[in-house]
Amino acid sequence: MKKVIDGKALVYCEGAFNTPNGKTAHGLVRFTERYEVVGVLDAKYAGRDAGDVLDGRPNEIPVFKDLEAAIIALTASDNLPSYLVIGLAPDGGRLPQVAKATIKAALQQGWNVDSGLHDFLTNDAALVALAKEKNVKIRDIRKTPDRDQLHFFTGDIEKVDCLKLAVLGTDSALGKRTTAWILVHAFRNAGKKAEMIGTGQTGWMQGAKYSMVMDSCINDFVSGEIEHAVVSAYKNEDPDVIVIEGQGSLMNPAYPGGFEILAAGRPDYVILQHAPKRLEYDGFPGYKMHSLEEQINAIQVISGKEVIAITVNHEGMEKSEILEVCKAITLETKLPAFDVLEYGADDLIAILMSKLK
């Protein structure tokens, strides 16, 4: 059994698994060092294997119809969790009211509850009282830290002398974090010391040791928190490479993440995640996606650093299309293109290894 930070967890993703609004659950199903995931809640896929639903690769994480069904099955297999984790990531980070009943029932079971949404469970007096009664914790991962815990930009980032890579994207909910983890693991498998800088709640939930939650941070401190995470990873771990998870995209109308990552994280190179089949920004009909050329140019103008490769999100594609789409992107951009989720990162890592300092 793998060693985890916090223990076994059941992931709530009702109505959202295998959709962009379930990306937190997807991350936890694919990889986490914080929990041992023992199941997912989503009635649509009840009885299925979560890994098979998501990637066509079974991973022995079952999907359950509801909490009651999960408790019966997990009791029988002696695999009851100590956490319910909210795996939803809807636009605006709002908690569906229907989820409250499941959260209350989990607390009644004596389970802790972790949520990365903007609707803070710790603002609900009844849930807080129940957690206190049952001697368990509710953690709102996106709750803004006290100002005295935050860091302002200092310029110490210039002392970081290892390779720094940023995985940015052309849109939100695109797989940037998954690609970042794949690269970290590929570097480690190649014998290099690699550290992940998480910049969202899911990265924290996956156990990223050095992380900040960008969209919960007061704006004045966003750059400083990114810098502090990168500098801390460099000082404490002496890595060969640091990979910074991107947020949103430079041109997304609602989530224009990436500016602070470029400015404060000061990556040496950018890897750009792209979903070729997307025509409009995720969740915003009528907002046409900017071209790959425009997005690459914006990154290079803002940062003065080059986009070194494109990583492809294959949503909406048949497997037989993927390699041809990668070739077409290379012809269009003159940059190598890879689907690392489908085919692994060995070819991309071969390019990146030559950039190590």
Side-chain angles (χ1 to χ4, degrees), residues 3-49:
K3 184 179 180 182
V4 294
I5 298 168
D6 287 328
K8 295 178 181 179
L10 181 67
V11 178
Y12 180 93
C13 199
E14 181 56 46
F17 197 63
N18 204 29
T19 78
N21 284 350
K23 67 179 185 178
T24 294
H26 303 163
L28 296 174
V29 163
R30 287 175 174 141
F31 163 80
T32 176
E33 292 177 346
R34 184 167 294 281
Y35 316 102
E36 178 190 344
V37 176
V38 296
V40 174
L41 297 181
D42 189 343
K44 181 178 180 180
Y45 294 104
R48 298 277 304 275
D49 179 289

Side-chain angles (χ1 to χ4, degrees), residues 22-242:
K23 67 179 185 178
T24 294
H26 303 163
L28 296 174
V29 163
R30 287 175 174 141
F31 163 80
T32 176
E33 292 177 346
R34 184 167 294 281
Y35 316 102
E36 178 190 344
V37 176
V38 296
V40 174
L41 297 181
D42 189 343
K44 181 178 180 180
Y45 294 104
R48 298 277 304 275
D49 179 289
D52 186 42
V53 170
L54 200 56
D55 298 317
R57 300 188 190 101
N59 60 6
E60 299 184 354
I61 296 175
V63 184
F64 299 108
K65 176 185 176 183
D66 53 29
L67 186 68
E68 184 180 5
I71 290 171
I72 291 169
L74 295 172
T75 299
S77 62
D78 193 26
N79 215 17
L80 276 175
S82 55
Y83 282 85
L84 178 75
V85 180
I86 307 304
L88 303 174
D91 291 335
R94 313 309 298 192
L95 180 73
Q97 275 303 308
V98 68
K100 281 282 184 83
T102 300
I103 292 166
K104 183 177 179 181
L107 292 169
Q108 288 279 12
Q109 286 288 319
W111 299 356
N112 305 285
V113 177
D114 284 351
S115 172
L117 298 180
H118 285 304
D119 279 331
F120 300 140
L121 302 181
T122 49
N123 288 349
D124 186 314
L127 293 180
V128 170
L130 181 56
K132 186 176 181 180
E133 176 191 331
K134 296 294 182 178
N135 195 29
V136 293
K137 295 175 294 184
I138 297 174
R139 293 190 291 193
D140 285 310
I141 314 308
R142 255 176 168 160
K143 206 157 197 176
T144 303
D146 292 336
R147 281 170 171 78
D148 59 4
Q149 296 175 16
L150 296 173
H151 301 83
F152 198 73
F153 185 80
T154 65
D156 283 351
I157 193 74
E158 305 303 340
K159 300 172 185 175
V160 177
D161 195 30
C162 67
L163 176 65
K164 299 192 300 298
L165 302 170
V167 180
L168 302 187
T170 57
D171 196 8
S172 60
L174 202 63
K176 297 179 287 291
R177 184 197 64 260
T178 297
T179 291
W181 277 119
I182 288 172
L183 293 180
V184 167
H185 294 147
F187 273 116
R188 290 174 180 172
N189 291 339
K192 299 300 178 183
K193 293 180 70 176
E195 286 298 326
M196 163 83 158
I197 305 299
T199 54
Q201 74 276 12
T202 308
W204 183 90
M205 287 177 168
Q206 288 179 297
K209 187 176 179 182
Y210 300 94
S211 58
M212 53 86 68
V213 183
M214 183 184 289
D215 64 5
S216 75
C217 193
I218 297 164
N219 189 256
D220 266 3
F221 297 97
V222 169
S223 290
E225 285 293 294
I226 294 168
E227 179 192 47
H228 177 70
V230 174
V231 170
S232 296
Y234 178 68
K235 286 181 176 178
N236 296 340
E237 309 298 336
D238 190 26
D240 298 298
V241 57
I242 290 173

